Amino acid sequence: MPGNNFETVTLPNRIRVHTLSTRRFKTVSVRLFIHQELTREKAALTALLPMVLRRGTESSPTAQEISRSLEGLYGAEIDTGVMKVGECHVIFIHLDVPGSRYLSDRPESLLDRGLELLSEMVRRPALENGLFRQDYFQQERENLRRLQMSLINDKVQYAVIRCIEEMCRDERYGVSRYGKPQDLEALDVAGLTEHFRQTVSSYPMDIYLVGDISPEDAAKMARHLFDFPRQGSREIKPTVLIHEVNSARQVVEKHDINQAKLALGYRTGRSRRDPGFWALAFCDGILGGFPHSKLFMNVREKAGLAYYAFSKLEATKGLMTLSCGIDFEDYTRALAIMNEQVEHMKRGVLSQEEMDYTLRGMVGRIKAAEDSPTGTILRQLEGNINGVDESLEDIVRQLEGITRDDVVEAAQGLRLDTTYLLTKDDAQEVRQ
């Protein structure tokens, strides 16, 4: 699998430019990331910022004019948003520009023009009297409020989110990437504008480019468009990894729902920066990552208790959640089977077939992710945030070398922190 390694240059203003030169894709994909610490005080402000930046720039001050600019780039696409990687709050702006060699008239400077638009978004957004436009601010604040409120509609994800919020209620990771609705009223356009200036001028910024472009040309374009004066690059506190749990908590929340959602939150004691991380990821795969996994086979297929059952690993914070959807009256039995599967992992009750299927599934999933520019970039971004420089070949090699003992050792580090149950309004009290 040649050609999966990025080349990185750092501009004088400390913006890092990472380029993967490849002809596997018919677009050149550009991802700009700005890193901040995830905090309750600034979460909503940071989430609102890219929504307002998307509305207009100095030369294209309306969404309609930005759309016309993108149409002039042969249907290029741009998107903005926020995500959290461990306790890092990351603003992203995505740009996808068609590769000139795949267009019949082979237009020149397509990527340059796309990067000019991206650069203008972060350097010269649409302002009035030195502030963001009031109408954009108000409209996007309302859109953010609706987005925050809509998270409750997906009950499967909502249960996982609430489990993690309860686990990390006194930690930065417990903060929502979108902030809370009650935080929005205190925001104003002057505060958002000042937050924008501080964010662009002083927080770590990375630009990733994947496509038919050489690292030399990418660096040249970046120096021309992004080497603007900055006040340095602030240090971002690393994500805090908690290993031990004093006592497990139980949280029950009632909603008007027809099916209960059960989520178990575990501390793993490992993160992507640890040498044993991929054994932990392997453990997650056997436990709940695939249709052959223990949760799916035992909670859903054999006991017939769950509508779905899976596990999910957060690589930077080192959290694992086990989740299933059940009838309320099956809570005690489902919980017992889930706990039993974790204990089996710790005692090494796993078959060679489970090892083989999981290896095949993980390698296939990781390779499939590399078939998209976004998957390739996110793998590299996560590694960079965790201080790990691993190519796709490195990861596959590590997975292929994992033994049964490695998986058992990783499983023995699991510590149950929180049991979260989302159930119906008139449900009886739950007993452990």
Side-chain angles (χ1 to χ4, degrees):
M1 293 169 283
N4 284 300
N5 299 319
F6 283 79
E7 292 191 26
T8 300
V9 298
T10 302
L11 303 183
N13 63 2
R14 301 187 69 179
I15 293 177
R16 294 164 298 208
V17 181
H18 316 267
T19 307
L20 175 61
S21 183
T22 176
R23 290 187 179 176
R24 286 190 292 140
F25 309 111
K26 294 186 177 179
T27 60
V28 178
S29 297
V30 185
R31 305 289 184 263
L32 183 147
F33 300 106
I34 307 175
H35 309 250
Q36 296 187 353
E37 288 170 17
L38 182 64
T39 66
R40 172 66 190 269
E41 293 73 23
K42 290 187 177 177
L45 197 60
T46 298
L48 181 59
L49 179 54
M51 299 172 74
V52 174
L53 290 178
R54 178 69 176 81
R55 294 296 300 270
T57 69
E58 190 174 281
S59 64
S60 301
T62 68
Q64 290 79 9
E65 287 174 276
I66 286 186
S67 294
R68 277 198 289 273
S69 297
L70 294 172
E71 288 170 7
L73 297 174
Y74 291 71
E77 296 179 348
I78 203 161
D79 192 18
T80 66
V82 290
M83 59 185 181
K84 65 179 185 181
V85 182
E87 293 173 342
C88 187
H89 203 184
V90 182
I91 294 172
F92 65 78
I93 305 178
H94 292 181
L95 169 70
D96 291 297
V97 180
S100 294
R101 74 168 54 245
Y102 303 107
L103 299 172
S104 57
D105 53 352
R106 300 203 169 200
E108 294 183 354
S109 306
L110 216 54
L111 178 59
D112 301 69
R113 288 155 55 199
L115 287 173
E116 283 180 13
L117 178 60
L118 181 63
S119 172
E120 194 174 15
M121 271 191 173
V122 295
R123 298 182 64 183
R124 296 186 297 276
L127 302 178
E128 282 184 346
N129 302 317
L131 301 176
F132 282 120
R133 287 176 48 164
Q134 187 69 30
D135 55 342
Y136 288 175
F137 168 78
Q138 291 180 337
Q139 290 162 12
E140 295 305 331
R141 184 172 63 174
E142 183 57 29
N143 287 337
L144 179 57
R145 186 194 316 279
R146 291 174 182 162
L147 178 60
Q148 292 169 335
M149 300 298 289
S150 71
L151 296 179
I152 200 171
N153 294 332
D154 183 342
K155 302 300 183 188
V156 175
Q157 289 304 313
Y158 176 79
V160 174
I161 291 170
R162 286 287 298 121
C163 179
I164 288 175
E165 284 181 346
E166 290 292 338
M167 284 179 75
C168 304
R169 60 198 179 283
D170 298 323
E171 301 163 59
R172 285 182 287 148
Y173 192 71
V175 176
S176 167
R177 60 177 163 156
Y178 298 123
K180 292 291 184 183
Q182 56 266 36
D183 299 331
L184 295 177
E185 285 307 314
L187 304 185
D188 59 38
V189 72
L192 182 66
T193 307
E194 178 57 25
H195 185 57
F196 156 72
R197 292 189 171 118
Q198 289 185 12
T199 296
V200 172
S201 69
S202 60
Y203 283 95
M205 191 181 302
D206 289 282
I207 302 172
Y208 291 79
L209 300 97
V210 172
D212 187 12
I213 179 172
S214 72
E216 294 76 18
D217 286 345
K220 183 179 178 182
M221 290 181 193
R223 287 191 190 96
H224 174 60
L225 294 168
F226 290 94
D227 191 16
F228 51 90
R230 301 208 318 147
Q231 299 170 359
S233 186
R234 297 190 189 190
E235 293 293 325
I236 300 295
K237 291 180 183 175
T239 297
V240 176
L241 195 65
I242 294 178
H243 297 257
E244 296 300 331
V245 178
N246 291 329
S247 60
R249 299 173 66 230
Q250 183 192 60
V251 177
V252 178
E253 190 171 330
K254 295 183 178 181
H255 283 205
D256 181 15
I257 57 175
N258 297 316
Q259 182 192 92
K261 316 294 182 204
L262 175 59
L264 309 184
Y266 285 84
R267 307 276 182 180
T268 70
R270 298 186 184 191
S271 74
R272 179 76 188 273
R273 68 186 74 112
D274 294 309
F277 170 76
W278 289 109
L280 175 66
F282 209 108
C283 170
D284 172 64
I286 293 178
L287 197 50
F290 300 98
H292 68 265
S293 298
K294 288 182 179 296
L295 289 182
F296 190 87
M297 293 302 297
N298 290 283
V299 184
R300 186 181 189 279
E301 294 297 289
K302 292 182 181 176
L305 299 180
Y307 302 94
Y308 65 87
F310 63 87
S311 65
K312 184 177 180 182
L313 178 64
E314 202 290 328
T316 304
K317 182 66 177 173
L319 303 180
M320 187 187 294
T321 50
L322 279 53
S323 183
C324 68
I326 55 174
D327 290 330
F328 176 73
E329 52 269 25
D330 293 327
Y331 164 75
T332 303
R333 194 170 160 216
L335 179 62
I337 296 175
M338 292 170 80
N339 285 332
E340 182 181 52
Q341 303 317 304
V342 176
E343 288 306 311
H344 281 180
M345 294 293 299
K346 292 182 177 182
R347 298 204 312 270
V349 183
L350 59 162
S351 66
Q352 187 58 45
E353 189 177 61
E354 288 174 313
M355 292 288 295
D356 293 342
Y357 284 177
T358 300
L359 174 61
R360 198 178 308 161
M362 291 187 72
V363 171
R365 183 178 290 174
I366 290 171
K367 286 183 177 178
E370 297 285 324
D371 285 338
S372 79
T374 296
T376 303
I377 290 170
L378 290 181
R379 185 257 304 164
Q380 189 73 14
L381 174 70
E382 184 183 82
N384 287 347
I385 287 176
N386 284 281
V388 177
D389 185 14
E390 292 173 325
S391 67
L392 176 61
E393 299 95 315
D394 295 332
I395 295 172
V396 171
R397 195 178 305 115
Q398 290 181 72
L399 288 173
E400 290 174 341
I402 287 171
T403 67
R404 179 196 191 92
D405 289 344
D406 295 332
V407 176
V408 173
E409 183 185 2
Q412 289 173 346
L414 298 180
R415 299 287 184 270
L416 179 62
D417 183 294
T418 299
T419 299
Y420 172 87
L421 177 66
L422 179 65
T423 188
K424 58 186 177 182
D425 285 330
D426 59 350
Q428 296 178 350
E429 293 303 311
V430 173
R431 293 187 178 88
Q432 281 278 32

